[in-house]
Amino acid sequence: QVQLVESGGGLVQPGGSLRLSCAASGSIRSFYAVGWYRQAPGKQRELVAMIRRVDSTNYADSVKGRFTISRDNAKNTVNLQMNSLKPEDTAVYYCNVRQGALTADYWGQGTQVTVSS
């Protein structure tokens, strides 16, 4: 069982920045993949960014050039730097971990991000 805790959410103005962090009970550098997802009310959950054990990354088209996912091995966290935030980025953001290629996913409780003037 992997325990995940997200932090860093809050209220920001359009064009502002936030940095989300995902802390894990296991060794984050050993996980097959870690992803950030988001879900807004009335909408489907969507993948925002993902980083694999081999350090490859993927981003949703809507956040490319604005968001950056990274792994901090010293702090055992995966971070999501969000710049140039837009109102449509408003959602609950969740951290997701897959320990291995064939294992079940684990989810954190989520952190609220609200972008509003």
Side-chain angles (χ1 to χ4, degrees):
Q1 182 71 33
V2 176
Q3 305 294 325
L4 304 173
V5 179
E6 303 97 332
S7 62
L11 173 64
V12 297
Q13 295 182 340
S17 298
L18 283 174
R19 184 176 179 85
L20 306 183
S21 292
C22 175
S25 59
S27 178
I28 212 157
R29 66 182 182 273
S30 69
F31 296 154
Y32 178 76
V34 181
W36 281 99
Y37 292 75
R38 67 186 181 188
Q39 187 167 23
K43 296 184 178 180
Q44 298 276 18
R45 182 184 63 187
E46 65 173 343
L47 176 66
V48 177
M50 182 267 288
I51 185 167
R52 298 176 63 223
R53 181 176 176 269
V54 296
D55 289 329
S56 62
T57 58
N58 291 293
Y59 297 92
D61 288 341
S62 60
V63 307
K64 286 181 179 177
R66 299 188 296 121
F67 291 9
T68 303
I69 189 169
S70 62
R71 178 171 48 244
D72 188 331
N73 292 331
K75 298 180 179 179
N76 200 44
T77 61
V78 167
N79 304 309
L80 184 68
Q81 180 66 45
M82 305 186 295
N83 299 326
S84 302
L85 283 162
K86 305 175 180 179
E88 51 263 45
D89 295 318
T90 296
V92 177
Y93 285 69
Y94 298 92
C95 182
N96 170 272
V97 162
R98 180 167 292 179
Q99 288 183 291
L102 301 178
T103 62
D105 290 357
Y106 296 93
W107 295 88
Q109 290 294 112
T111 184
Q112 177 72 48
V113 171
T114 302
V115 185
S116 176
S117 58

